Amino acid sequence: MEMKPMAPRCGVEFAGVSLKHCSDADMEAIKQAIYEHGVAVFRDQDFAPEDHIAFAKSWGGIDLNNYFPLDPRWPEIALVAKAPDQTTNIGGAWHTDHSYDPVPAMGSILVARVLPPAGGDTLFAHMGAAYDDLSDEVRAAIEGLEAFHTADHVYKADGLYAQTDQGKALRGQDIRTGAVHPVVIRHPVTGRRLLYVNGAFTMHFVGQTREESLPLLSQLLAAAVRDDNQCRVVWEPGTVAIWDNRTTWHNALNDYHGHAREMHRITLSGEALAA
């Protein structure tokens, strides 16, 4: 098994490993790499849905997604899809999965199933590097600060997706979410300090209105996606990506209109976040 960096500050790509035949030692090395680098990519994987589910269970629990379409044969797998005649994709903005849950997802395992001839790459940004780049003044301003996260404005019956051609395919419009998390968390394994806000689900700081929060929140969001803090996953048939939702944000690029793209995602259960 070999590992090489995808970018100086985010992401690694593995070679010489079959995920469905992963040894215990290889599994531990993969987990550590993902905790540290945020995302890991594996090419040329023979990874049926049953393999996907079995591999996810070897990490621990699975968080079932309340919103995405499901295949009844594999309810653990969320379908992240865009049809050729649709213009809106799923996940086409910087975010981290399930930050609106009181115990957010640890990570996600995404498998490429149907790909466009070009485009549809996914960008990742490392939140440890983002925190490191903040000025002393900004770090002091967010020390001890908490923020409120929700997905209601995105998925509810009159939410953002309902106003697009993805609305009819999604579920859970009547679900209500809300969680408070520290703005800066410590990774439970590496101990690294990580910026934990995102543009999709973080609404405001605790004790402040949305309007009062926006100047500092916007500053944090912009700092997190600096070009030198990112890596890009170019999808190919047989590609699997695994990422740590605490360490990274991601953004699925919507640049393949007229073509289908379908990905299978399993979300891995996490633990309560702490500063």
Side-chain angles (χ1 to χ4, degrees):
M1 186 171 70
E2 299 177 354
M3 182 179 76
K4 64 179 181 180
M6 296 173 61
R9 308 179 80 188
C10 185
V12 290
E13 185 166 328
F14 280 88
V17 60
S18 169
L19 291 178
K20 70 178 182 180
H21 298 125
C22 207
S23 70
D24 290 345
D26 285 349
M27 188 67 155
E28 285 308 308
I30 288 168
K31 287 182 178 181
Q32 192 63 35
I34 292 167
Y35 298 150
E36 293 178 4
H37 301 280
V39 57
V41 172
F42 305 82
R43 305 289 186 186
D44 302 318
Q45 298 294 310
D46 178 15
F47 213 52
E50 293 82 3
D51 301 320
H52 191 181
I53 293 168
F55 180 79
K57 287 181 177 178
S58 71
W59 286 73
I62 293 174
D63 279 6
L64 299 181
N65 186 276
N66 291 318
Y67 302 111
F68 296 171
L70 301 175
D71 187 317
R73 294 172 294 176
W74 309 296
E76 299 92 341
I77 297 174
L79 306 181
V80 184
K82 180 188 174 190
D85 60 347
Q86 289 180 309
T87 59
T88 303
N89 72 335
I90 297 292
W94 284 108
H95 67 286
T96 191
D97 298 334
H98 293 209
S99 75
Y100 47 80
D101 288 337
V103 180
M106 184 286 290
S108 298
I109 305 171
L110 193 66
V111 181
R113 296 300 183 195
V114 178
L115 293 172
D121 300 348
T122 304
L123 304 179
F124 287 84
H126 197 293
M127 293 302 104
Y131 177 78
D132 292 346
D133 285 343
L134 296 176
S135 68
D136 291 342
E137 179 182 8
V138 172
R139 287 191 203 180
I142 61 177
E143 187 69 27
L145 205 58
E146 294 181 317
F148 176 75
H149 300 239
T150 183
D152 293 0
H153 60 293
V154 178
Y155 294 110
K156 64 183 180 180
D158 59 348
L160 296 177
Y161 276 128
Q163 301 169 42
T164 75
D165 53 14
Q166 284 282 354
K168 292 182 180 179
L170 298 178
R171 306 175 298 119
Q173 288 86 354
D174 58 342
I175 294 173
R176 292 296 172 261
T177 61
V180 171
H181 303 297
V183 171
V184 180
I185 63 171
R186 283 199 181 274
H187 194 283
V189 177
T190 68
R192 187 169 185 180
R193 303 199 84 187
L194 308 167
L195 185 63
Y196 197 78
V197 292
N198 66 87
F201 304 126
T202 307
M203 302 308 296
H204 60 83
F205 300 122
V206 172
Q208 299 181 25
T209 65
R210 172 76 172 170
E211 291 71 23
E212 292 168 339
S213 302
L214 274 177
L216 178 56
L217 183 59
S218 298
Q219 186 178 356
L220 297 176
L221 301 183
V225 293
R226 286 175 31 168
D227 288 346
D228 64 354
N229 189 30
Q230 296 183 30
C231 70
R232 177 187 289 253
V233 175
V234 179
W235 295 95
E236 302 168 356
T239 297
V240 178
I242 309 172
W243 64 87
D244 187 322
N245 278 304
R246 304 157 302 191
T247 306
T248 57
W249 292 357
H250 57 282
N251 179 5
L253 298 181
N254 188 22
D255 56 356
Y256 52 96
H257 297 310
H259 299 282
R261 180 179 184 269
E262 182 176 309
M263 317 294 277
H264 285 188
R265 194 187 87 186
I266 294 180
T267 306
L268 304 171
S269 301
E271 56 195 277
L273 304 176

